Amino acid sequence: MATSVAEEGQRSLNGIISDTQTKKMTDLPTELLEHILCFPVLKHDDICNVSCCCKRLHDVCHGRGKVWGHQYKLRWPRLQMFYRQNECCDWLREYKTRHRVGIQIRRTVESISRRFFTEVPCVGQVLGDSFAEIESLGMPEHFCEDELLFILNSDKRKSLTLKYYAKKILYFLRQQNILRSLKTFMEQPADQQSSLEGAVLVDQYCNPLADVTLNSISAQLDEIAEKVKKMLRIKNPSHPSLRIAQGDCSVVQDFELQRQVVCALNSVLYEQLQYKGNEFDYYNPLNSYIHQVLLRRTGIPISLSVLYINLTRKLGVQLEPVNFPNHFLLRWCQKPKGSEDIYDFVYIDAFGKGKQLTAKECEYLIGHQVTADYYSAISTTEVLLRMVGNLLNIGKRGEGNEKSYQLLRDSLDLYLTINPDNVQYLLLQARLYFHLGIWPEKVLDILQHIQALDPSQHGAVGYLVQHTLEHIQHKKHPATPEVKKRSAPEHLEVQYSVGLIMKHKRSGYNCVIYGWDPKCTMSQEWITTMRVHQLSNGANQPFYNVLVQDGTCRYAAQENLEPHSAPLEIGHPEVGRYFSEFAATYYFANDELQTRYPEDVVETLGTVQELYHRLTPGDANPDRASAADQNNHRAAPV
């Protein structure tokens, strides 16, 4: 009996073992398989291989399932904001589309340096064709932007040329979107246009790579409004402004209650938060950008007025903008049913810590009398034109560098989007593009528009048309770039090479060499102005094109330069145009610059080895070490 029981138990045990041994992974529940396949170590190619094993795993890895959704979110986390939570979509198709867009965007960016290296490095000119290429992909725009951001956020010191053009494309793409938003904004009825929204659009267009949104700016104003309410609550617990919710358009009618709001706002804004007018750096463009005004707590009259008028509106007090000459103001009506008599208003100077002025005191502010028209309220459109006009004037005052030209271009784009038929600024835009040698086809379109608006401009238009057509013909037959070899007899006095980080002996600035001439090639006027004749070797010595740490480009004599004792990165915006990598002690020239200076890479590596690196016994031959270093760079993907 005992034996039969034992045998029966053994048979049962063998059955259990046999069942366990025949179990497969595919027998697991779908939820558990999905959980296993969502482990972070598994990449998209692993999931592709798993799904090809059998029908069971293929079904678990279906396009709308959890596995591909996880892969998509893991690889492109920034894109999650474009999907609703728990949204059901074909994640495999989205993954393939995003992957394909990434490859095409990268190819486009990589091709730009080859096509535009010899051109003037301005955003529009470089990217006109590339933008059309990207649009022709017909892909979701947020996919394109995500790939560009992915390129920009990769290894800081590598792929500098790729990042340089990716940044320009991203800048251009975002600006086109903002212009579309501005046009939509301008189509709204005047009474529905918010000066805050308009100011944010101006800010976004001039700073397309900054994280500036209307929601974030409004949230900061809401925080300030809450501080004002807190102060009001102490002084008047029953004040009606305390009952105004966010987004409510209620108006406080009683003048004494309005006065309490204005006093509390001045106390919070100027005393507690220390906002002030920027008297010492008035013409800094940052004073006009609303996000910078909030960040730095300083601005100019119009930017502080936009801040002030939107805060009072949140608290139930209606103010109006006044386009006063040389000093933007706000007006506050003191009559219950409104009035157009300039003496029925108190004028508020947001730049002057909220000081309240009479009409006569406003004239003292600017030092001369004005007509009553200047005290009238203006529309949101006129506020934006004044704001953009300020930026335009700052761009005109600039030093003629890339930064000032970009500000001038951006402000002209904005102004002509708001007021497209302004002949004065259309002509300025055409002249600017002509001067920079960019977008000749667009220059012709602008000139045609000017001629239709104002035939009396035919003289200026005719001159620009003639020379623009010549420029277009010249572009069809570009000159072959000059190749400079160090071994040429006329170049034997050139001591330094492209990519070396230098220090100016007299001025003390740090820089990197991106070009050289065996003798000074500037005009006689420049040579005289820069007092080149006072140098010991005068103009008859090598001169170097250098990118300077302060963002300028300079032309320096050889006797004024020396290798930097402790090389460091040069924070110049154009570094990526010429160099593909910062290699700790020097910059490695990109393919286009190497074509111009084919013998400089070896020279730079040899100089760096001699100046900064101690050779190990195995690397006693500097030529061999330099050649190995160069081969390593050529093997690395750009």
Side-chain angles (χ1 to χ4, degrees), residues 495-508:
Q495 293 182 11
Y496 307 123
S497 51
V498 296
L500 287 178
I501 298 169
M502 313 295 288
K503 188 179 185 69
H504 196 278
K505 295 177 183 177
R506 297 188 180 185
S507 302

Side-chain angles (χ1 to χ4, degrees), residues 232 236 238-241 252-262 317 332:
L232 279 173
N236 185 355
S238 61
H239 198 288
S241 292
V252 176
Q253 299 293 341
D254 184 82
F255 287 109
E256 174 56 27
L257 294 175
Q258 287 185 20
R259 187 192 64 77
Q260 292 175 10
V261 170
V262 171
V317 177
W332 174 21

